[in-house]
Amino acid sequence: MNGQKSHLEGSASRILAASAILAVFLMLVRAQIEGFYSSSPLSVLKLIPRMALASYYDLLYVASISLFFLLCVMCARKNPRLQTVIECTYTILAVISLIVALANIRLVKVLGGPLTYQWLYYSDFMGSVDLRNDLWSPESQGLLALAIMMASFLLVVARSAAAGIRNAPSHRFRSIGFAGIGCLAVYFSVATAWIAMRNHDDLKRTNPVVSFFRSIISSRQTPALFTMNTPLT
């Protein structure tokens, strides 16, 4: 029983640590897309509220997948092997999400928004040589190298942070957990109200993973161009 509890705490702490690191990285990526620049450490602190609001959809994505996988781990609390599979699946998803977010920096510049299935379809799945050359520019290659470094950093730091969480006294762990939940509740309440008051399109701020899967679903619900039945067919 103690072994199962220890394994459960380990899997949950690693998911939480990876989620926190992923959230920070996505905020930094979003700041790059939004063009937030700072000239001093003090100005970085002043930008944090703007970065947090601009990253609303990214942070909502991280919170949603984290909660889902934590619930899955809790449901598998009597099966340590399944917990490991769930934890590894989440880690892979977190790394993919980070790489896609970094690629989105270039895609927003080229496409004006995140990559969608419709865009892939009408571009003949990037069959254009000019398009491939534009996307695979030196800047894109630099982003790929950065993605590999950040993904490695995420894995290492998440493991280290998880060890710190597990070694913390239980009362301190609970205090940190309640404080984190409170901060998230305040943030999403304020950010949701701020998003609701905005009148312009937030296409560029949509999380790229969510945007792509949403476009796949909409493509199946909407008939493709030139395939709809007409009175003449």
Side-chain angles (χ1 to χ4, degrees), residues 68-200:
F68 173 77
F69 278 90
L70 284 172
L71 289 176
C72 289
V73 166
M74 292 295 295
C75 292
R77 58 183 175 272
K78 295 183 179 181
N79 191 334
R81 183 173 298 179
L82 182 56
Q83 291 174 28
T84 301
V85 172
I86 294 171
E87 178 195 337
C88 291
T89 303
Y90 176 80
T91 302
I92 293 172
L93 179 58
V95 170
I96 292 175
S97 300
L98 177 59
I99 293 173
V100 170
L102 285 164
N104 194 48
I105 296 176
R106 181 64 180 167
L107 290 170
V108 167
K109 291 181 180 179
V110 176
L111 307 179
L115 181 68
T116 63
Y117 178 81
Q118 288 83 355
W119 185 89
L120 278 178
Y121 180 85
Y122 290 113
S123 67
D124 194 21
F125 293 89
M126 297 196 300
S128 169
V129 176
D130 292 337
L131 179 59
R132 288 201 302 269
N133 290 338
D134 190 23
L135 290 176
W136 193 244
S137 63
E139 180 183 356
S140 300
Q141 296 176 28
L143 287 173
L144 177 61
L146 180 62
I148 295 173
M149 289 178 9
M150 292 181 70
S152 302
F153 184 78
L154 184 149
L155 295 175
V156 173
V157 174
R159 289 280 176 175
S160 301
I165 293 174
R166 290 186 63 189
N167 294 330
S170 58
H171 67 278
R172 183 176 299 177
F173 179 78
R174 286 194 297 269
S175 300
I176 294 174
F178 286 130
I181 293 173
C183 289
L184 287 174
V186 171
Y187 164 76
F188 281 113
S189 298
V190 173
T192 301
W194 179 76
I195 291 292
M197 292 187 297
R198 293 168 58 87
N199 295 321
H200 59 276

Side-chain angles (χ1 to χ4, degrees), residues 9-87:
E9 291 176 350
S11 295
S13 62
R14 283 187 287 272
I15 290 176
L16 287 172
S19 300
I21 302 299
L22 177 62
V24 172
F25 281 169
L26 293 187
M27 284 180 61
L28 295 175
V29 171
R30 186 60 57 183
Q32 175 68 25
I33 294 175
E34 293 289 326
F36 295 158
Y37 299 103
S38 60
S39 57
S40 66
L42 182 60
S43 59
V44 172
L45 295 177
K46 293 180 179 179
L47 284 176
I48 289 178
R50 293 177 60 192
M51 290 169 58
L53 290 174
S55 305
Y56 171 78
Y57 294 108
D58 296 314
L59 298 182
L60 182 61
Y61 166 75
V62 174
S64 300
I65 62 172
S66 302
L67 179 60
F68 173 77
F69 278 90
L70 284 172
L71 289 176
C72 289
V73 166
M74 292 295 295
C75 292
R77 58 183 175 272
K78 295 183 179 181
N79 191 334
R81 183 173 298 179
L82 182 56
Q83 291 174 28
T84 301
V85 172
I86 294 171
E87 178 195 337

